[in-house]
Amino acid sequence: MDKNTENISVKADFSEIVKRAYDKAMQENEISLNQLIEDLKEDLRHLVAL
């Protein structure tokens, strides 16, 4: 995979992670901000590991 394609893929993955976090926050009334941030951090760590 070339550098440009890799950058587009990472941007798409990042956007999807943020969208999922937003959707989760909007749907789950019982989730705390701290839990949401921890989940977001974990997802972002996986993105960096790829």
Side-chain angles (χ1 to χ4, degrees):
M1 186 183 310
D2 67 359
K3 197 79 159 159
N4 193 26
T5 305
E6 185 177 317
N7 286 340
I8 291 170
S9 177
V10 168
K11 287 178 186 176
D13 291 342
F14 177 78
S15 296
E16 189 61 33
I17 288 170
V18 172
K19 182 181 182 314
R20 278 192 310 234
Y22 175 80
D23 290 343
K24 186 174 186 177
M26 296 304 292
Q27 292 174 1
E28 294 186 24
N29 295 331
E30 307 262 334
I31 194 166
S32 70
L33 182 58
N34 288 336
Q35 181 60 45
L36 185 62
I37 290 171
E38 289 303 316
D39 291 349
L40 189 53
K41 283 182 189 177
E42 188 64 29
D43 286 343
L44 291 173
R45 280 190 195 106
H46 289 295
L47 177 64
V48 172
L50 297 174

